[in-house]
Amino acid sequence: IRVWSPAPDTSMAGDNAAFFGAPRAVNVEALSLLKDVEVGRMFRRRFLTLIETMTYGQLFLLSLAAWLRNRRQSLLLWLSLYFLSAFCWAFFDPLFPPFPIFRNVGNYINSTFHTLEDISLWYLLLYLLNLDSLPALRRWTRVLAWIAFVSAFCDEWMFHLKWTDAQTPLFQSLDAVFTAGFSLVAIYSLVLIVLGLRRSKDPARRF
């Protein structure tokens, strides 16, 4: 049997876009039971996603209201952006969206909001660990934030372009570069935590 499958990319598992296993011969009752179990699982997953979305939405509104009362508190701004990105990540989940009508929207923006969640976490750590007084560290955070955001945006929209078979090596190369752009820098959160712990032990130390 000859089948067509898209060019493998960084989001695919080894058995993706192919046969997962040989079909099973079952009777009508077993098939109906299997369908009911699958529908129940999907309903529970979407219900949990809806609860998660409502929780993040309320936390976003609370943090945004707190920041509007005192706009000099940058920590509250990044806290509201963190909850906003988490809200959008759950609301536009392309696999288990609480509202299936928004499934296609999540395919275009979900990865970007997930990266914005990481960036917001960086700035939260920067302020919570009192590292915002270090100009070099603030500059590195800003540079890495732009690299991660642009890489995630380009990687997501690249999948919606029309690629020919001859352009498959170019597609895979760009996919690898953009994926590395927002994946490798995710470890930056651990770097900030280590620097914050070192600085708390020796307040006179400067990096």
Side-chain angles (χ1 to χ4, degrees):
I1 300 176
R2 300 185 63 184
V3 296
W4 178 89
S5 63
D9 55 70
T10 53
S11 64
M12 288 185 174
D15 55 358
N16 230 3
F19 294 114
F20 290 90
R24 298 179 181 178
V26 297
N27 54 31
V28 177
E29 290 79 8
L31 186 61
S32 178
L33 178 60
L34 181 61
K35 179 181 178 182
D36 293 339
V37 171
E38 183 66 18
V39 170
R41 186 183 69 85
M42 293 289 292
F43 176 79
R44 289 193 299 270
R45 183 64 179 86
R46 285 177 178 172
F47 181 72
L48 291 175
T49 304
L50 179 60
I51 295 177
E52 183 182 11
T53 302
M54 295 174 61
T55 302
Y56 283 133
Q58 294 176 11
L59 292 174
F60 162 68
L61 293 177
L62 288 174
S63 56
L64 179 63
W67 176 71
L68 291 176
R69 289 174 60 92
N70 188 359
R71 300 188 181 183
R72 291 178 298 178
Q73 291 290 337
S74 300
L75 175 64
L76 295 175
L77 173 61
W78 287 106
L79 184 63
S80 62
L81 288 176
Y82 177 84
F83 287 129
L84 175 62
S85 57
F87 167 82
C88 294
W89 167 256
F91 188 83
F92 296 109
D93 186 356
L95 296 179
F96 299 98
F99 303 100
I101 191 175
F102 296 109
R103 180 188 302 272
N104 293 331
V105 179
N107 291 326
Y108 288 88
I109 62 175
N110 218 25
S111 180
T112 305
F113 278 114
H114 186 54
T115 301
L116 181 60
E117 185 178 356
D118 291 339
I119 296 173
S120 302
L121 180 61
W122 297 348
Y123 278 95
L124 284 175
L125 291 173
L126 203 66
Y127 288 104
L128 290 173
L129 299 176
N130 295 322
L131 297 174
D132 57 303
S133 60
L134 306 176
L137 200 57
R138 291 203 313 268
R139 184 166 55 252
W140 270 106
T141 305
R142 184 170 58 252
V143 170
L144 292 179
W146 276 110
I147 292 176
F149 186 83
V150 173
S151 297
F153 180 83
C154 294
D155 185 70
E156 196 155 41
W157 282 87
M158 187 182 65
F159 284 85
H160 302 284
L161 301 177
K162 300 297 183 181
W163 297 90
T164 63
D165 292 340
Q167 295 173 326
T168 297
L170 176 61
F171 166 78
Q172 293 177 328
S173 298
L174 291 176
D175 179 39
V177 171
F178 290 141
T179 301
F182 67 84
S183 297
L184 295 180
V185 296
I187 199 175
Y188 186 60
S189 301
L190 299 178
V191 175
L192 291 175
I193 293 174
V194 171
L195 293 179
L197 293 176
R198 290 179 58 189
R199 196 162 189 257
S200 64
K201 292 181 180 180
D202 187 6
R205 182 166 184 169
R206 292 296 180 266
F207 300 96

